[in-house]
Amino acid sequence: MEYIQILGLAAAAFTTGANFPQTYKIIKTKSTKDISKVTYGMLFLGGIMWLIYGILKSDVPIIIANGISSTICGIIFMLKLSSRKLLEELDKKI
């Protein structure tokens, strides 16, 4: 594996992993009060666009990072747009 690909995978791990604490906090507290709809909407859309770019370029680190990140940002965005009841139902399943 080339060093540049290792760098890309490490960057992917950090940027993707950065979304997990926020997702955990939202599920634990059942609150998205402090989350910006605009920010997570933009992150979700940007992630989807990066994913498409990675697929078109056949760039594995970009595909992996943005596939996972887009999913997580999409979940956070959905939870922000949804009601507290959905968060409570999700908490019961976990």
Side-chain angles (χ1 to χ4, degrees):
M1 188 177 287
E2 295 180 26
Y3 290 111
I4 196 159
Q5 192 167 28
I6 293 170
L7 176 64
L9 289 169
F14 278 104
T15 56
T16 301
N19 286 302
F20 285 106
Q22 189 65 62
T23 306
Y24 176 77
K25 182 178 179 185
I26 289 170
I27 292 169
K28 184 177 177 186
T29 63
K30 299 180 191 74
S31 174
T32 59
K33 182 180 79 165
D34 297 327
I35 301 298
S36 168
K37 282 187 262 189
V38 174
T39 297
Y40 272 91
M42 290 173 69
L43 284 170
F44 177 64
L45 183 58
I48 293 295
M49 291 164 66
W50 271 112
L51 176 61
I52 293 167
Y53 174 82
I55 291 168
L56 294 173
K57 298 287 277 182
S58 299
D59 192 319
V60 174
I62 292 176
I63 293 168
I64 292 170
N66 291 289
I68 296 169
S69 291
S70 296
T71 300
I72 296 168
C73 285
I75 290 168
I76 292 172
F77 187 57
M78 179 195 69
L79 291 172
K80 177 64 179 178
L81 295 176
S82 67
S83 68
R84 181 178 176 100
K85 184 177 180 181
L86 177 61
L87 285 168
E88 290 170 355
E89 288 298 318
L90 183 61
D91 187 45
K92 289 177 187 176
K93 293 179 182 180
I94 294 178

